[in-house]
Amino acid sequence: MGGTVFRLFFSNFVFRLACLSLDSLRIVIPLPTHRNKIVVTRQPCNFLCWSQNLLRYFKNLYQATLIWLARHSPNQRQRLLLLTILSGGLCGLAAVAFHKSIKLAESLMIDPANHAPGHTWIFWTILAPTIGGLVGGLGITYIAPRAAGSGIPMVKVAYSTRYGLIPLRDAFWKFILCTIQLGSGASLGLEGPTVQICAGVSSWLARTARLSASNCRRMASVGVAAGIAAAFNAPIAAVTFTLEEVIGDLDQTMLSGVIVAAALAAVVEHALSGESPVFHVNHQYTLTNASSLVWYALLGLLAALLSVAFTDSLLFMRLFFRKLEHVPKWLQPALGGAATGALAVVGLHFFRLNGIAGDPYSTLTLALVGAGSLPVIAMVVFCLLKLAATVFSYSSGGAGGIFAPSLFMGAMLGGAVGYIDVIVFHHPAESIGAFALVGMGAVFAGIIRAPMTSILIIFEMTGGYGLILPLMIANMSAFALARHWRKTPIYEALLEQDGIFLHKQDSSETKVGELD
């Protein structure tokens, strides 16, 4: 069938070409004369005329093809739906590739450093994040300035002021530089960078399909939801986070795309990385004793204090590094990496546990198990060490997010409060894990200021609703108190340090410079 169609097309083409050639030769037959003879008049072949006719033929063919495609191609809304589906799948693949790249980098850099023989592990544990910070600082300073930080502030600016325009180049270098820094031991998270990478992929698809400006903005929100869903395998929390943190209102057109993309990204992550790619919670915790609600309320208060302390420390140290004019900007992330490595040495030396430099979720999982898997002094120390290490890694200009550190600090704080519940009320030791889970959500709500997401993400990661009342008490308390003590959320505060005020400026006034 295909050969027959090709032969017909080729025959038609040759016939038309022959007609063009005869026309250019201008053969006139037959012409009778007074001698009753036939005279054939042949003019020289005009090559320019023949070429023009050939070009005219292909131009007409091209225009006919465009007309056919215009009549049969999908409209703007159909293309938006198709691109939303495609974006969910591609973002899921990009997230899986990013997470596995970080795992590979950790196995090549920070993990061997932590297990070096003798006392050399101290030197290598400090050196690994220092080198990672140096490489990241050079890349951020001279190649991709917008690859610094978590990526969510940059996405918020792009959504609010540039119709969701996120260059694919920024997403690519975010992938590379975060892989190097996180793999070398930076005390930062991979969830925020995943959002920027996925939003960049979605924005590139929108521009490639020549969508309208409003639909390009919708595609950016689609990428955000897909990134969160793929990072936590939590599509419902991804939808609420996109609504709370990026969109800010309930747009039905955006909501439908966000739901589709989040679901598809979570399916891809689930298929390639397992049911819970971040960490596993095997025990189904419930509220077994109503008297524990007193300590859950205390946990909300302490989570608010910790959230404000973390935010203020991060902003203060960020200004401090900017005032170090005698230290080159490309060298500053190396200083943050050295400080992070030194803090990691403290945790490894005294408790034989990591979580400060490298993957924090293995140590976090011990806190979620409960039953005294981590002593209370270890939880308190690791909470403070993680706060300091994250402040140094982020404020020095490193590439990475604050989602994972906030969850880690929350788990340690919650577990420490859980010990109080066990000691005072003699409740079972398993309740320590329940407090650790609630602490994760409470500190997340206090730092990120996304209260609904902080509740739903715990539900989706645990697969149960037994802690709904403690979660609501602790999370809402932490959110309300943190907002009372510090009006500006952390992402908006970071942007204001850069001179960007999303609630005051429009797209024509906002100058997007370097976003950390």
Side-chain angles (χ1 to χ4, degrees):
M1 179 64 181
T4 303
V5 173
F6 175 77
R7 285 195 297 271
L8 289 174
F9 174 79
F10 184 74
S11 301
N12 182 49
F13 175 74
V14 172
F15 173 75
R16 290 179 178 271
L17 188 62
C19 292
L20 290 171
S21 301
L22 290 174
D23 181 67
S24 64
L25 291 175
R26 302 190 182 189
I27 298 176
V28 183
I29 56 171
L31 291 176
T33 64
H34 64 281
R35 295 181 181 180
N36 295 324
K37 292 182 179 180
I38 296 177
V39 177
V40 177
T41 303
R42 183 186 299 271
Q43 296 181 358
C45 177
N46 190 339
F47 179 75
L48 179 60
C49 180
W50 183 85
S51 301
Q52 290 176 347
N53 290 333
L54 184 63
L55 290 175
R56 189 180 301 113
Y57 168 73
F58 281 110
K59 182 180 179 180
N60 293 334
L61 180 63
Y62 174 72
Q63 291 177 347
T65 304
L66 290 181
I67 293 173
W68 185 90
L69 290 175
R71 291 176 178 176
H72 295 84
S73 61
N75 57 32
Q76 186 87 193
R77 179 172 296 183
Q78 292 170 337
R79 277 187 289 163
L80 180 61
L81 177 59
L82 293 175
L83 288 175
T84 299
I85 296 173
L86 181 61
S87 177
L90 289 180
C91 289
L93 293 175
V96 171
F98 180 53
H99 300 168
K100 291 188 178 298
S101 297
I102 293 175
K103 290 292 184 183
L104 177 61
E106 288 176 344
S107 66
L108 296 175
M109 290 187 279
I110 188 62
D111 290 345
N114 292 337
H115 298 89
H119 294 287
T120 60
W121 67 270
I122 299 176
F123 170 76
W124 290 112
T125 299
I126 297 176
L127 183 63
T130 303
I131 294 177
L134 179 62
V135 174
L138 290 171
I140 291 170
T141 303
Y142 296 107
I143 300 177
R146 284 181 290 196
S150 70
I152 293 180
M154 195 277 284
V155 173
K156 289 170 68 70
V157 170
Y159 179 85
S160 299
T161 67
R162 296 186 301 180
Y163 293 101
L165 173 61
I166 302 171
L168 189 62
R169 178 179 181 272
D170 292 346
F172 171 78
W173 284 109
K174 190 76 171 183
F175 188 110
I176 300 298
L177 296 177
C178 282
T179 298
I180 295 173
Q181 280 212 260
L182 298 180
S184 64
S187 183
L188 298 170
L190 54 81
E191 295 79 15
T194 304
V195 170
Q196 184 179 357
I197 292 169
C198 292
V201 171
S202 185
S203 176
W204 171 75
L205 287 174
R207 297 194 308 273
T208 302
R210 298 183 181 276
L211 296 181
S212 63
S214 59
N215 285 334
C216 286
R217 174 177 288 173
R218 292 188 178 100
M219 286 297 294
S221 65
V222 163
V224 171
I228 293 294
F232 291 106
N233 201 0
I236 301 177
V239 173
T240 58
F241 177 83
T242 305
L243 293 176
E244 286 182 308
E245 193 64 30
V246 178
I247 298 177
D249 56 9
L250 191 60
D251 187 321
Q252 290 185 350
T253 305
M254 290 188 180
L255 181 61
S256 59
V258 162
I259 293 174
V260 171
L264 288 175
V267 167
V268 173
E269 178 78 17
H270 175 86
L272 298 179
S273 300
E275 182 177 356
S276 182
V278 180
F279 54 85
H280 297 273
V281 181
N282 297 322
H283 190 80
Q284 294 293 330
Y285 293 110
T286 58
L287 178 63
T288 55
N289 298 282
S291 57
S292 298
L293 292 176
V294 176
W295 305 115
Y296 283 115
L298 175 64
L299 176 57
L301 171 64
L302 296 177
L305 292 172
L306 180 64
S307 302
V308 174
F310 174 77
T311 303
D312 289 344
S313 300
L314 186 65
L315 295 172
F316 173 80
M317 289 302 298
R318 197 162 176 257
L319 289 177
F320 172 79
F321 275 102
R322 289 188 173 186
K323 294 178 180 179
L324 292 178
E325 298 179 355
H326 59 282
V327 179
K329 191 172 184 179
W330 56 266
L331 187 59
Q332 293 180 6
L335 298 179
T340 299
L343 293 169
V345 168
V346 174
L348 284 168
H349 176 72
F350 288 101
F351 303 103
R352 305 299 179 187
L353 290 172
N354 199 1
I356 307 302
D359 181 18
Y361 289 115
S362 57
T363 304
L364 188 151
T365 303
L366 293 177
L368 299 181
V369 171
S373 299
L374 281 179
V376 62
I377 185 63
M379 289 185 170
V380 174
V381 170
F382 269 98
C383 179
L384 298 177
L385 289 177
K386 192 66 175 179
L387 185 150
T390 304
V391 166
F392 278 114
S393 294
Y394 195 101
S395 60
S396 61
I402 58 177
F403 273 33
S406 65
L407 294 175
F408 185 93
M409 290 186 291
M412 297 302 150
L413 176 65
V417 175
Y419 270 98
I420 301 177
D421 178 69
V422 172
I423 294 172
V424 174
F425 290 153
H426 305 288
H427 291 159
E430 286 77 10
S431 62
I432 297 175
F435 275 88
L437 270 176
V438 174
M440 289 169 55
V443 174
F444 185 92
I447 295 177
I448 309 299
R449 306 286 177 88
M452 291 301 299
T453 303
S454 67
I455 294 175
L456 292 175
I457 201 170
I458 301 301
F459 289 163
E460 290 192 270
M461 288 191 296
T462 60
Y465 297 87
L467 293 174
I468 184 170
L469 184 58
L471 275 170
M472 293 179 66
I473 292 175
N475 288 23
M476 293 301 106
S477 300
F479 170 74
L481 291 173
R483 188 175 61 175
H484 175 72
W485 291 327
R486 164 165 274 281
K487 302 295 184 182
T488 307
I490 187 167
Y491 293 134
E492 282 72 12
L494 290 170
L495 290 174
E496 289 180 4
Q497 277 194 342
D498 295 331
I500 301 172
F501 299 86
L502 295 181
H503 59 285
K504 293 181 180 180
Q505 291 180 333
D506 57 23
S507 59
S508 62
E509 297 175 347
T510 302
K511 295 181 180 180
V512 181
E514 179 183 351
L515 303 176
D516 293 352

